[in-house]
Amino acid sequence: MKKKTVSRFLGLALSGLMVLGVTACGSSAGSQEAAADQSGGAAEEVQQGTEDSSGDKIVLDVINYHVGTDYAAEYYTYLFDAFQQTEEGKNVEFHFEEIPTTDAFNQKIKLLISSGDLPDIVFNGGNNITELAAKSGKVADLTPYFEADPEWRALFDDTSLEFNTVDGKIYGVPVSKEISYIYYNKELFAQAGIEAPEVAYADWDEFFEACDKLKAAGITPVGMDTADSGWLTNLWMSALIGTNGDAGNQWMNSMYPTDFNTPEVTAAAETIQRMFQEYTTADAVGGKYDPMATHFFNGEVAMFPNGPWMIPDFSETEKAPEGFYDKVGIMLLPGNGMEMVPTPGDMVGAMEEEKIKAAVAFLKFETLPENQIKALEMTGLQPVSNDLEIPSALTESDPLMAQVLEIQNQAKVTYGQNQAYWYQNTIDTFSTELPELAYGNITPEEFCEKLSESAKKNQ
């Protein structure tokens, strides 16, 4: 794909080798200062390259969930290989442990935080474990690296870095921004005699009117789940709260809430209970994301909340029927709402100075402007940097992705979601208690009280 040159940040890239059709540029860490130890002690000069004092290769342990059918597997294969062909990465080898699902990965990382050694590069699997990892003392303070490299620091806005800061120190390097909206099946909408809104339904009443029409036509309206943190249901509930007036929006944009017994959260839980009972698939309760996505690919549900990383799957014939891409439309959540949050960043779990330097060099390479653009093209990940020019051919080659970039600017209300803003144990409680809520074994008020009890354990 022919691409425009990336904006002013291209000047950051160091000279490197041509890899897979792009310039694989090395990190500038060789001329920077870095943290001398994990406790944030005085920084000392980082020497050029990543070879240790004995002249041996630096071996970095990585637990990688971007494998198999993961949406970013091909991109991360490129990233690891390309980094090793740069000046900073030529003396680095990776030792991989592969875990094929984000849920299993997150559980493994949480276990290692509490009782074990973290890998040298700690990917973030979507859940906000930054504070948990930082307070464990098992991840490196990256603040000195950002301070020593203002050009690298300039790639990130303050909000993204603050989101990855604990007690005034930066521990995570964000690699993207997260947004989500609704995908809908244009063919199923036509079968039900529904004309989709240009941008979004004006409110939730209109949305449920469409759900009722779909249901009357024998079409399941929405995809939902409960297992593996209940990702889809989390997106619905976050939207219900975040678009419910100023109070709901403020609540859904607050970090680590402990009081879930508010009118907005209770109302959302009540609606989620109704959606499980009236508008989703029979296997949603207890269901995981992958089979729920298969329902959407197979035309068995009409609407599916998710982000742009799903778009490449629409053209992947191992996941979706041929031609499915052309059946998909995009709309914002009712009330012109959209989840938009900074992402928890990748961290450094290495303890030895040489390994810390090598791991930081990889994270710098991962966030080079050209690699952010490559990630957008290959995975749908939204660039974390604001000043990048999008490839001119994107509209022609990937119209859905181009539509994403256009529609997000039309959102009137933005909000967070639980995997980014809630305590980890509260996310777990959300997932485990969703079946009880769905089956009516607990009331929405009892569900919210259980979430509050879980969150307050962190105080």
Side-chain angles (χ1 to χ4, degrees):
M1 178 184 298
K2 185 177 181 181
K3 299 184 287 188
K4 291 182 180 179
T5 57
V6 180
S7 63
R8 61 187 178 87
F9 290 120
L10 271 182
L12 299 178
L14 302 182
S15 58
L17 301 175
M18 293 300 292
V19 180
L20 299 181
V22 302
T23 304
C25 302
S27 162
S28 58
S31 61
Q32 313 301 329
E33 294 181 344
D37 52 48
Q38 294 287 88
S39 62
E44 63 183 68
E45 184 177 358
V46 178
Q47 299 300 317
Q48 178 69 28
T50 52
E51 191 170 1
D52 68 14
S53 57
S54 66
D56 295 331
K57 293 278 189 177
I58 299 294
V59 179
L60 297 180
D61 290 327
V62 180
I63 299 177
N64 186 19
Y65 67 90
H66 294 299
V67 295
T69 59
D70 180 82
Y71 72 97
E74 183 180 358
Y75 170 68
Y76 273 87
T77 296
Y78 149 76
L79 202 64
F80 286 118
D81 291 343
F83 174 69
Q84 290 179 302
Q85 298 185 53
T86 67
E87 186 64 27
E88 287 287 346
K90 66 181 182 182
N91 293 314
V92 174
E93 292 182 355
F94 295 105
H95 177 263
F96 295 103
E97 176 184 351
E98 295 186 349
I99 296 182
T101 68
T102 55
D103 183 59
F105 172 82
N106 286 325
Q107 294 300 325
K108 176 68 174 280
I109 294 298
K110 285 188 291 182
L111 178 63
L112 293 178
I113 288 173
S114 62
S115 59
D117 295 326
L118 287 169
D120 298 314
I121 295 173
V122 184
F123 287 143
N124 205 302
N127 290 355
N128 191 355
I129 60 171
T130 307
E131 182 172 24
L132 186 67
K135 291 187 179 300
S136 75
K138 294 181 179 179
V139 289
D141 172 17
L142 304 179
T143 311
Y145 288 89
F146 282 102
E147 291 176 345
D149 191 344
E151 290 185 330
W152 185 42
R153 166 66 177 80
L155 289 173
F156 310 93
D157 59 61
D158 291 340
T159 301
S160 293
L161 290 182
E162 287 170 4
F163 189 78
N164 286 279
T165 296
V166 179
D167 296 333
K169 298 177 180 179
I170 303 172
Y171 288 93
V173 179
V175 300
S176 67
K177 288 182 178 177
E178 181 176 302
I179 63 173
S180 63
Y181 38 80
I182 297 174
Y183 294 108
Y184 67 93
N185 187 311
K186 293 184 286 187
E187 194 172 76
L188 295 182
F189 267 51
Q191 290 177 20
I194 300 172
E195 185 174 345
E198 183 176 348
V199 177
Y201 288 109
D203 52 37
W204 288 93
D205 288 340
E206 282 192 1
F207 171 80
F208 284 115
E209 286 176 9
C211 288
D212 288 333
K213 290 180 181 178
L214 289 162
K215 189 176 177 181
I219 299 167
T220 302
V222 301
M224 299 178 72
D225 58 4
T226 65
D228 288 1
S229 78
W231 169 248
L232 302 174
T233 305
N234 145 53
L235 293 179
W236 290 121
M237 185 160 179
S238 298
L240 285 161
I241 300 169
T243 59
N244 191 356
D246 292 340
N249 187 256
Q250 183 177 352
W251 193 96
M252 204 60 238
N253 280 308
S254 299
M255 288 292 294
Y256 303 123
T258 57
D259 183 8
F260 291 73
N261 301 301
T262 73
E264 294 78 18
V265 182
T266 303
E270 183 177 350
T271 302
I272 289 297
Q273 185 180 61
R274 174 189 170 199
M275 291 172 70
F276 270 118
Q277 295 174 353
E278 298 183 20
Y279 295 120
T280 193
T281 57
D283 59 348
V285 179
K288 297 183 177 182
Y289 169 85
D290 286 339
M292 301 305 107
T294 299
H295 284 315
F296 183 64
F297 296 146
N298 290 341
E300 296 163 354
V301 297
M303 290 183 281
F304 200 83
N306 215 348
W309 52 88
M310 193 181 189
I311 290 176
D313 291 347
F314 299 156
S315 301
E316 179 53 65
T317 54
E318 293 182 0
K319 294 183 178 181
E322 188 170 352
F324 181 74
Y325 181 102
D326 296 327
K327 297 179 181 180
V328 179
I330 296 172
M331 70 175 84
L332 296 177
L333 274 295
N336 290 85
M338 183 177 70
E339 175 221 345
M340 180 180 288
V341 296
T343 55
D346 295 342
M347 296 176 285
V348 174
M351 303 299 290
E352 302 171 16
E353 183 182 351
E354 290 83 0
K355 289 193 173 187
I356 294 174
K357 291 188 292 186
V360 171
F362 174 81
L363 296 183
K364 287 192 174 188
F365 180 75
E366 184 179 20
T367 52
L368 282 174
E370 57 264 47
N371 282 333
Q372 292 187 50
I373 293 295
K374 195 170 186 68
L376 171 67
E377 294 175 330
M378 294 182 68
T379 72
L381 286 171
Q382 297 295 290
V384 68
S385 299
N386 295 324
D387 294 343
L388 303 181
E389 291 187 21
I390 306 303
S392 59
L394 186 64
T395 300
E396 180 179 346
S397 65
D398 197 348
L400 283 178
M401 191 64 71
Q403 186 180 354
V404 168
L405 297 173
E406 179 181 351
I407 199 171
Q408 63 184 276
N409 295 323
Q410 300 181 55
K412 297 179 180 178
V413 180
T414 61
Y415 48 83
Q417 48 91 356
N418 73 0
Q419 289 191 19
Y421 285 3
W422 296 6
Y423 287 111
Q424 180 60 50
N425 67 322
T426 313
I427 298 171
D428 296 338
T429 299
F430 176 81
S431 180
T432 57
E433 294 297 332
L434 274 177
E436 298 299 305
L437 177 69
Y439 287 131
N441 295 332
I442 59 175
T443 66
E445 290 79 9
E446 290 170 332
F447 179 74
C448 292
E449 180 58 30
K450 288 179 180 293
L451 295 176
S452 296
E453 291 173 356
S454 177
K456 289 174 181 176
K457 291 179 181 179
N458 297 279
Q459 293 181 320

